Amino acid sequence: MTTLETAINAAREAGALIREKAATTKQVQFKSSAHDLVTQVDQAAEAMIRKRILENHPEHAILGEEGVAAGVDASKAALEENRSHEHLWIVDPIDGTTNFVHGFPMFCVSIAYAHHQKVTTAVIYDPMRDELFTAEKGRGAFLGNRSIQVSSEKVLEESLVATGFPSGDRGVRRRNVERILKISPRCRNLRAGGSAALHLAYVACGRLSAFWELELNAWDLAAGSLLVEEAGGKVSDTAGSPYDIGVRHILASNGRIHSLLLDELKEAGATGFEEL
Ligand code: 2AM
Ligand code: CA
Ligand code: CA
Ligand code: CA
C-alpha cells in the first residue's frame, strides 16, 4: 500500500469515529490548562491511525500529538527525537479539539508522511463535510478527485485572511493581537475558525487567501503545508524563512500576497508587544 492510500484509509476511518461521536457528550480532560483539551475521541482516533500505519509500514516512526506530553518543551523535544527518522508520520487525530468539544463544526484529521524530514504525502479530512484534501509532492493537491489551486488575490484589500489563537499560552494570544491590529484593517476581513490544519486546506483550495498563526506544532502544520505548496501557494515562517517540520510560527498564502503579509507581520513583531 502507498503512503497516500494508508493516509486516506486511516483518515477516513478515524473521521467516521469522530463524526459518530460529534453529537454525543464528550469526556474532556485538561492537558496543560483549561484551554488545552483532550477527549477520549482524540485518543481513540490516534490509536486507530497508528494501528493502520504500522500494519502497512511496520518500520516507520510516528509522531502523534496524543503520544506526546503536554506543553511546548515536550512538543519540541518529541520533534527533535523523531525528526531524523527516514520514514516519519506526523499525525493530529483531531485538529480543532476545542471546536469538537463545543460542537462548532470546524475540525479535521491531519496525517502527513515525511521522507528524510520533507513532507511528501498529506491528507486532511473534514468528517462533518466529508471533504478529503490530499497532496503528494510534485503531483498537485486535490479536494476529493478535483485538482485544487490557491486563490488569485494580489492585494490585501481583496483578501480573506485567517489566524488563530493557540490555547496553551495566554501570552501568545496577546502577541497575536498586535498582528491582528495591523492586518485586520488592511484585508477584506479576518477569520479565526480554530483549526490550523483546516485553515491551511482552505488556503490550498482558495477559500482563504492566507493564514498565519504563532506557536503551533509539527502535527498542526505538516500536512497542510504540503497541500498549500502543491496547490501553488507559499508557506514560510512569519519571518519569511522556508517551511520546515520544526516551524512553529506559520504564514501560508496564495503566494501573491505573501510578501505584503510578511511586511505587516514583521512590523507588528517589532513594536514591543512581544513582552506582554
Ligand atoms: P488542536 O485542536 O489539535 O489542539 C487553534 O488555534 C489551533 O491551535 C488548533 O490547530 C489547535 O490544535 C492548536 N492548539 C490548541 N491548543 C494548543 C496548545 N496548547 N498549544 C499549541 N497549539 C494548540
Ligand atoms: Ca491539542
Ligand atoms: Ca492541532
Ligand atoms: Ca489535536
Short mmCIF file of all heavy atoms in Angstrom, two decimals, residues 31-33 35-37 42 65-66 70-72 75 92-100 107-108 163-169 173 192-199 211 213-217 219-221 248, ligand 1:
data_model
loop_
_atom_site.label_atom_id
_atom_site.label_comp_id
_atom_site.label_asym_id
_atom_site.label_seq_id
_atom_site.Cartn_x
_atom_site.Cartn_y
_atom_site.Cartn_z
N LYS A 31 -5.21 19.29 29.58
CA LYS A 31 -3.79 18.92 29.43
C LYS A 31 -2.97 19.92 30.22
O LYS A 31 -2.89 19.81 31.44
CB LYS A 31 -3.42 18.85 27.95
CG LYS A 31 -4.11 17.67 27.24
CD LYS A 31 -3.93 17.71 25.73
CE LYS A 31 -2.66 17.06 25.28
NZ LYS A 31 -2.54 17.04 23.80
N SER A 32 -2.38 20.94 29.56
CA SER A 32 -1.57 21.91 30.32
C SER A 32 -2.45 22.91 31.09
O SER A 32 -2.02 23.48 32.07
CB SER A 32 -0.61 22.63 29.38
OG SER A 32 -1.32 23.27 28.34
N SER A 33 -3.70 23.13 30.63
CA SER A 33 -4.58 24.11 31.27
C SER A 33 -6.01 23.89 30.79
O SER A 33 -6.25 23.03 29.94
CB SER A 33 -4.16 25.54 30.90
OG SER A 33 -4.54 25.79 29.56
N HIS A 35 -7.47 25.62 28.78
CA HIS A 35 -7.54 25.98 27.36
C HIS A 35 -7.05 24.84 26.47
O HIS A 35 -7.10 24.93 25.26
CB HIS A 35 -6.66 27.19 27.07
CG HIS A 35 -6.95 28.37 27.94
ND1 HIS A 35 -8.04 29.16 27.75
CD2 HIS A 35 -6.28 28.85 29.01
CE1 HIS A 35 -8.03 30.12 28.67
NE2 HIS A 35 -6.98 29.93 29.44
N ASP A 36 -6.49 23.83 27.08
CA ASP A 36 -5.76 22.79 26.34
C ASP A 36 -6.46 21.46 26.62
O ASP A 36 -6.24 20.84 27.65
CB ASP A 36 -4.31 22.79 26.85
CG ASP A 36 -3.40 21.91 26.01
OD1 ASP A 36 -3.86 21.38 24.99
OD2 ASP A 36 -2.22 21.77 26.40
N LEU A 37 -7.33 21.05 25.69
CA LEU A 37 -8.25 19.95 25.95
C LEU A 37 -7.87 18.67 25.21
O LEU A 37 -7.25 18.72 24.15
CB LEU A 37 -9.67 20.35 25.52
CG LEU A 37 -10.17 21.70 26.00
CD1 LEU A 37 -11.58 21.96 25.46
CD2 LEU A 37 -10.16 21.78 27.52
N ASP A 42 -10.12 11.93 20.77
CA ASP A 42 -8.77 12.23 20.25
C ASP A 42 -7.88 11.00 20.41
O ASP A 42 -7.15 10.60 19.49
CB ASP A 42 -8.10 13.37 21.03
CG ASP A 42 -8.82 14.70 20.93
OD1 ASP A 42 -9.90 14.85 21.55
OD2 ASP A 42 -8.32 15.61 20.25
N GLU A 65 0.19 13.76 18.15
CA GLU A 65 0.01 14.71 19.25
C GLU A 65 -0.30 14.03 20.57
O GLU A 65 0.26 14.38 21.60
CB GLU A 65 -1.12 15.71 18.94
CG GLU A 65 -1.30 16.68 20.10
CD GLU A 65 -2.39 17.72 19.93
OE1 GLU A 65 -3.16 17.65 18.98
OE2 GLU A 65 -2.44 18.61 20.79
N GLU A 66 -1.20 13.06 20.55
CA GLU A 66 -1.62 12.48 21.82
C GLU A 66 -0.62 11.46 22.38
O GLU A 66 -0.81 10.93 23.47
CB GLU A 66 -3.03 11.90 21.71
CG GLU A 66 -4.09 12.89 21.19
CD GLU A 66 -4.12 14.25 21.90
OE1 GLU A 66 -3.59 14.36 23.02
OE2 GLU A 66 -4.64 15.21 21.31
N ALA A 70 1.98 17.04 27.42
CA ALA A 70 1.51 18.40 27.19
C ALA A 70 2.64 19.41 27.34
O ALA A 70 3.62 19.17 28.04
CB ALA A 70 0.39 18.72 28.17
N GLY A 71 2.49 20.54 26.67
CA GLY A 71 3.42 21.65 26.86
C GLY A 71 4.41 21.81 25.72
O GLY A 71 4.70 20.87 24.98
N VAL A 72 4.91 23.03 25.60
CA VAL A 72 5.79 23.39 24.49
C VAL A 72 7.10 22.61 24.53
O VAL A 72 7.58 22.11 23.51
CB VAL A 72 6.09 24.92 24.53
CG1 VAL A 72 7.08 25.30 23.45
CG2 VAL A 72 4.80 25.71 24.40
N SER A 75 6.73 19.07 23.38
CA SER A 75 6.46 19.01 21.94
C SER A 75 7.74 19.20 21.14
O SER A 75 7.99 18.47 20.17
CB SER A 75 5.48 20.12 21.54
OG SER A 75 4.27 19.96 22.23
N ASP A 92 -2.12 14.42 13.58
CA ASP A 92 -3.00 15.10 14.52
C ASP A 92 -4.39 14.46 14.37
O ASP A 92 -5.07 14.66 13.37
CB ASP A 92 -3.06 16.60 14.21
CG ASP A 92 -3.68 17.38 15.36
OD1 ASP A 92 -4.41 16.77 16.15
OD2 ASP A 92 -3.45 18.60 15.44
N PRO A 93 -4.82 13.67 15.37
CA PRO A 93 -6.06 12.90 15.19
C PRO A 93 -7.29 13.79 15.12
O PRO A 93 -8.21 13.51 14.35
CB PRO A 93 -6.10 12.00 16.43
CG PRO A 93 -5.25 12.69 17.45
CD PRO A 93 -4.16 13.39 16.66
N ILE A 94 -7.32 14.85 15.93
CA ILE A 94 -8.36 15.89 15.77
C ILE A 94 -7.67 17.24 15.86
O ILE A 94 -7.12 17.59 16.91
CB ILE A 94 -9.45 15.84 16.88
CG1 ILE A 94 -10.13 14.46 16.95
CG2 ILE A 94 -10.50 16.94 16.63
CD1 ILE A 94 -11.21 14.36 18.03
N ASP A 95 -7.65 17.99 14.78
CA ASP A 95 -7.16 19.36 14.85
C ASP A 95 -8.39 20.25 14.98
O ASP A 95 -9.23 20.30 14.08
CB ASP A 95 -6.35 19.74 13.60
CG ASP A 95 -5.77 21.13 13.76
OD1 ASP A 95 -4.95 21.32 14.68
OD2 ASP A 95 -6.17 22.04 13.02
N GLY A 96 -8.48 20.92 16.13
CA GLY A 96 -9.68 21.69 16.45
C GLY A 96 -10.48 21.03 17.57
O GLY A 96 -11.71 21.02 17.54
N THR A 97 -9.78 20.48 18.55
CA THR A 97 -10.46 19.77 19.64
C THR A 97 -11.40 20.68 20.41
O THR A 97 -12.49 20.25 20.82
CB THR A 97 -9.42 19.15 20.60
OG1 THR A 97 -8.71 18.14 19.88
CG2 THR A 97 -10.07 18.51 21.80
N THR A 98 -11.03 21.95 20.60
CA THR A 98 -11.93 22.86 21.32
C THR A 98 -13.25 22.98 20.57
O THR A 98 -14.34 22.94 21.17
CB THR A 98 -11.27 24.25 21.49
OG1 THR A 98 -10.01 24.05 22.14
CG2 THR A 98 -12.13 25.18 22.31
N ASN A 99 -13.18 23.10 19.24
CA ASN A 99 -14.40 23.13 18.43
C ASN A 99 -15.20 21.84 18.57
O ASN A 99 -16.42 21.85 18.72
CB ASN A 99 -14.06 23.35 16.95
CG ASN A 99 -13.58 24.76 16.67
OD1 ASN A 99 -13.83 25.68 17.45
ND2 ASN A 99 -12.90 24.93 15.55
N PHE A 100 -14.49 20.72 18.51
CA PHE A 100 -15.14 19.40 18.64
C PHE A 100 -15.91 19.32 19.97
O PHE A 100 -17.07 18.90 20.00
CB PHE A 100 -14.07 18.31 18.55
CG PHE A 100 -14.57 16.92 18.76
CD1 PHE A 100 -15.41 16.31 17.83
CD2 PHE A 100 -14.20 16.21 19.90
CE1 PHE A 100 -15.87 15.01 18.04
CE2 PHE A 100 -14.66 14.91 20.11
CZ PHE A 100 -15.50 14.32 19.17
N PHE A 107 -13.33 21.03 12.45
CA PHE A 107 -12.21 20.21 12.94
C PHE A 107 -11.91 19.17 11.89
O PHE A 107 -12.71 18.93 10.98
CB PHE A 107 -12.53 19.59 14.31
CG PHE A 107 -13.92 19.03 14.43
CD1 PHE A 107 -14.22 17.77 13.93
CD2 PHE A 107 -14.93 19.76 15.05
CE1 PHE A 107 -15.50 17.25 14.03
CE2 PHE A 107 -16.22 19.24 15.15
CZ PHE A 107 -16.51 17.98 14.64
N CYS A 108 -10.73 18.55 12.00
CA CYS A 108 -10.32 17.61 10.95
C CYS A 108 -9.28 16.64 11.48
O CYS A 108 -8.73 16.83 12.56
CB CYS A 108 -9.73 18.40 9.77
SG CYS A 108 -8.23 19.31 10.19
N THR A 163 -6.49 33.67 11.00
CA THR A 163 -5.46 33.50 12.02
C THR A 163 -6.01 32.57 13.09
O THR A 163 -7.09 31.99 12.92
CB THR A 163 -5.01 34.85 12.60
OG1 THR A 163 -3.90 34.63 13.47
CG2 THR A 163 -6.13 35.53 13.38
N GLY A 164 -5.27 32.40 14.17
CA GLY A 164 -5.74 31.53 15.24
C GLY A 164 -5.04 31.87 16.54
O GLY A 164 -4.06 32.60 16.56
N PHE A 165 -5.60 31.30 17.60
CA PHE A 165 -5.10 31.58 18.95
C PHE A 165 -4.82 30.26 19.64
O PHE A 165 -5.73 29.65 20.18
CB PHE A 165 -6.15 32.35 19.75
CG PHE A 165 -6.68 33.54 19.03
CD1 PHE A 165 -7.84 33.45 18.29
CD2 PHE A 165 -6.00 34.74 19.08
CE1 PHE A 165 -8.33 34.55 17.61
CE2 PHE A 165 -6.48 35.84 18.40
CZ PHE A 165 -7.65 35.75 17.66
N PRO A 166 -3.58 29.79 19.61
CA PRO A 166 -3.30 28.52 20.27
C PRO A 166 -3.68 28.60 21.74
O PRO A 166 -3.58 29.67 22.36
CB PRO A 166 -1.81 28.32 20.08
CG PRO A 166 -1.31 29.48 19.34
CD PRO A 166 -2.41 30.42 19.06
N SER A 167 -4.11 27.48 22.28
CA SER A 167 -4.76 27.52 23.58
C SER A 167 -3.82 27.53 24.76
O SER A 167 -4.20 27.89 25.86
CB SER A 167 -5.66 26.29 23.70
OG SER A 167 -6.48 26.22 22.59
N GLY A 168 -2.60 27.08 24.56
CA GLY A 168 -1.76 26.77 25.72
C GLY A 168 -1.25 27.97 26.49
O GLY A 168 -0.98 27.87 27.68
N ASP A 169 -1.15 29.11 25.85
CA ASP A 169 -0.34 30.18 26.43
C ASP A 169 -1.06 31.52 26.19
O ASP A 169 -1.19 31.97 25.07
CB ASP A 169 1.02 30.12 25.72
CG ASP A 169 1.94 31.27 26.09
OD1 ASP A 169 1.49 32.18 26.80
OD2 ASP A 169 3.09 31.25 25.64
N ARG A 173 -1.63 34.67 22.81
CA ARG A 173 -2.86 35.33 22.35
C ARG A 173 -2.64 36.85 22.33
O ARG A 173 -3.04 37.53 21.39
CB ARG A 173 -4.02 35.00 23.27
CG ARG A 173 -4.42 33.55 23.18
CD ARG A 173 -5.72 33.33 23.88
NE ARG A 173 -5.99 31.90 23.99
CZ ARG A 173 -7.04 31.40 24.60
NH1 ARG A 173 -7.92 32.20 25.17
NH2 ARG A 173 -7.23 30.11 24.66
N ALA A 192 -11.18 33.39 12.17
CA ALA A 192 -10.41 32.57 13.11
C ALA A 192 -11.26 31.36 13.47
O ALA A 192 -12.05 31.38 14.40
CB ALA A 192 -10.04 33.37 14.36
N GLY A 193 -11.11 30.31 12.69
CA GLY A 193 -12.00 29.14 12.80
C GLY A 193 -11.59 28.10 13.82
O GLY A 193 -12.38 27.22 14.15
N GLY A 194 -10.34 28.16 14.32
CA GLY A 194 -9.95 27.25 15.38
C GLY A 194 -9.38 25.91 14.94
O GLY A 194 -9.21 25.02 15.78
N SER A 195 -9.06 25.75 13.65
CA SER A 195 -8.36 24.54 13.21
C SER A 195 -7.28 24.96 12.22
O SER A 195 -7.57 25.31 11.07
CB SER A 195 -9.32 23.55 12.55
OG SER A 195 -8.57 22.57 11.83
N ALA A 196 -6.04 24.94 12.67
CA ALA A 196 -4.93 25.38 11.81
C ALA A 196 -4.86 24.53 10.55
O ALA A 196 -4.69 25.05 9.44
CB ALA A 196 -3.61 25.29 12.59
N ALA A 197 -5.01 23.21 10.70
CA ALA A 197 -4.89 22.32 9.54
C ALA A 197 -5.98 22.60 8.52
O ALA A 197 -5.71 22.66 7.31
CB ALA A 197 -4.94 20.86 10.00
N LEU A 198 -7.20 22.81 8.99
CA LEU A 198 -8.29 23.08 8.04
C LEU A 198 -8.11 24.45 7.39
O LEU A 198 -8.40 24.63 6.21
CB LEU A 198 -9.64 22.96 8.75
CG LEU A 198 -10.82 22.46 7.92
CD1 LEU A 198 -10.48 21.22 7.11
CD2 LEU A 198 -12.01 22.18 8.83
N HIS A 199 -7.60 25.42 8.14
CA HIS A 199 -7.30 26.71 7.52
C HIS A 199 -6.29 26.57 6.40
O HIS A 199 -6.41 27.19 5.34
CB HIS A 199 -6.77 27.70 8.57
CG HIS A 199 -7.84 28.30 9.43
ND1 HIS A 199 -9.14 28.43 9.04
CD2 HIS A 199 -7.78 28.82 10.68
CE1 HIS A 199 -9.84 29.00 10.01
NE2 HIS A 199 -9.04 29.25 11.02
N PHE A 211 -3.22 32.50 5.76
CA PHE A 211 -3.41 32.10 7.16
C PHE A 211 -2.09 32.29 7.88
O PHE A 211 -1.04 31.92 7.36
CB PHE A 211 -3.83 30.62 7.22
CG PHE A 211 -3.71 29.99 8.59
CD1 PHE A 211 -4.54 30.39 9.63
CD2 PHE A 211 -2.77 28.99 8.83
CE1 PHE A 211 -4.44 29.80 10.89
CE2 PHE A 211 -2.66 28.39 10.09
CZ PHE A 211 -3.50 28.82 11.11
N GLU A 213 -0.42 31.94 12.08
CA GLU A 213 -0.65 31.65 13.50
C GLU A 213 0.70 31.39 14.16
O GLU A 213 1.62 30.89 13.53
CB GLU A 213 -1.59 30.44 13.68
CG GLU A 213 -1.98 30.22 15.14
CD GLU A 213 -3.15 29.24 15.35
OE1 GLU A 213 -3.91 28.98 14.40
OE2 GLU A 213 -3.28 28.76 16.50
N LEU A 214 0.78 31.74 15.45
CA LEU A 214 2.01 31.58 16.22
C LEU A 214 1.97 30.32 17.08
O LEU A 214 0.90 29.89 17.49
CB LEU A 214 2.22 32.80 17.15
CG LEU A 214 2.17 34.18 16.50
CD1 LEU A 214 2.33 35.27 17.56
CD2 LEU A 214 3.24 34.31 15.43
N GLU A 215 3.13 29.79 17.38
CA GLU A 215 3.31 28.71 18.39
C GLU A 215 2.50 27.45 18.10
O GLU A 215 1.86 26.89 19.00
CB GLU A 215 2.97 29.25 19.79
CG GLU A 215 3.92 30.32 20.31
CD GLU A 215 5.35 29.84 20.56
OE1 GLU A 215 5.60 28.61 20.47
OE2 GLU A 215 6.22 30.68 20.81
N LEU A 216 2.53 27.03 16.86
CA LEU A 216 1.89 25.75 16.54
C LEU A 216 2.93 24.63 16.57
O LEU A 216 4.13 24.87 16.72
CB LEU A 216 1.22 25.84 15.17
CG LEU A 216 0.03 26.81 15.15
CD1 LEU A 216 -0.46 27.02 13.73
CD2 LEU A 216 -1.11 26.30 16.03
N ASN A 217 2.46 23.40 16.43
CA ASN A 217 3.35 22.24 16.46
C ASN A 217 3.38 21.55 15.10
O ASN A 217 2.52 21.78 14.25
CB ASN A 217 2.89 21.27 17.54
CG ASN A 217 3.16 21.83 18.93
OD1 ASN A 217 4.30 22.14 19.28
ND2 ASN A 217 2.10 22.00 19.71
N TRP A 219 2.49 18.72 14.10
CA TRP A 219 1.29 17.97 13.66
C TRP A 219 0.16 18.89 13.21
O TRP A 219 -0.74 18.45 12.51
CB TRP A 219 0.81 17.03 14.77
CG TRP A 219 0.81 17.64 16.14
CD1 TRP A 219 -0.13 18.49 16.66
CD2 TRP A 219 1.80 17.47 17.16
NE1 TRP A 219 0.23 18.86 17.93
CE2 TRP A 219 1.40 18.25 18.27
CE3 TRP A 219 3.00 16.73 17.25
CZ2 TRP A 219 2.14 18.32 19.45
CZ3 TRP A 219 3.73 16.81 18.42
CH2 TRP A 219 3.31 17.59 19.49
N ASP A 220 0.20 20.17 13.61
CA ASP A 220 -0.81 21.11 13.13
C ASP A 220 -0.54 21.50 11.67
O ASP A 220 -1.46 21.92 10.96
CB ASP A 220 -0.79 22.41 13.94
CG ASP A 220 -0.98 22.20 15.42
OD1 ASP A 220 -1.93 21.47 15.79
OD2 ASP A 220 -0.19 22.75 16.22
N LEU A 221 0.72 21.44 11.24
CA LEU A 221 1.16 22.12 10.02
C LEU A 221 1.68 21.22 8.92
O LEU A 221 1.71 21.64 7.75
CB LEU A 221 2.28 23.11 10.39
CG LEU A 221 1.89 24.18 11.42
CD1 LEU A 221 3.11 25.00 11.82
CD2 LEU A 221 0.79 25.07 10.86
N ARG A 248 7.16 26.82 13.89
CA ARG A 248 6.05 26.98 14.84
C ARG A 248 5.19 28.21 14.53
O ARG A 248 4.02 28.25 14.88
CB ARG A 248 6.59 27.09 16.28
CG ARG A 248 7.37 25.85 16.71
CD ARG A 248 7.93 25.98 18.12
NE ARG A 248 6.87 26.14 19.10
CZ ARG A 248 6.15 25.13 19.61
NH1 ARG A 248 6.37 23.89 19.21
NH2 ARG A 248 5.23 25.37 20.51
P1 2AM B 1 -5.61 21.09 18.47
O1 2AM B 1 -7.04 21.30 18.42
O2 2AM B 1 -5.13 19.85 17.77
O3 2AM B 1 -5.03 21.16 19.86
C1 2AM B 1 -6.20 26.69 17.11
O4 2AM B 1 -5.72 27.98 17.22
C2 2AM B 1 -5.08 25.75 16.77
O5 2AM B 1 -4.14 25.70 17.85
C3 2AM B 1 -5.55 24.34 16.53
O6 2AM B 1 -4.91 23.88 15.38
C4 2AM B 1 -5.16 23.62 17.80
O7 2AM B 1 -4.89 22.24 17.61
C5 2AM B 1 -3.92 24.34 18.22
N1 2AM B 1 -3.70 24.29 19.66
C6 2AM B 1 -4.63 24.06 20.60
N2 2AM B 1 -4.10 24.05 21.84
C7 2AM B 1 -2.81 24.29 21.67
C8 2AM B 1 -1.73 24.40 22.59
N3 2AM B 1 -1.90 24.22 23.88
N4 2AM B 1 -0.51 24.67 22.10
C9 2AM B 1 -0.36 24.82 20.77
N5 2AM B 1 -1.33 24.70 19.86
C10 2AM B 1 -2.55 24.44 20.31
#
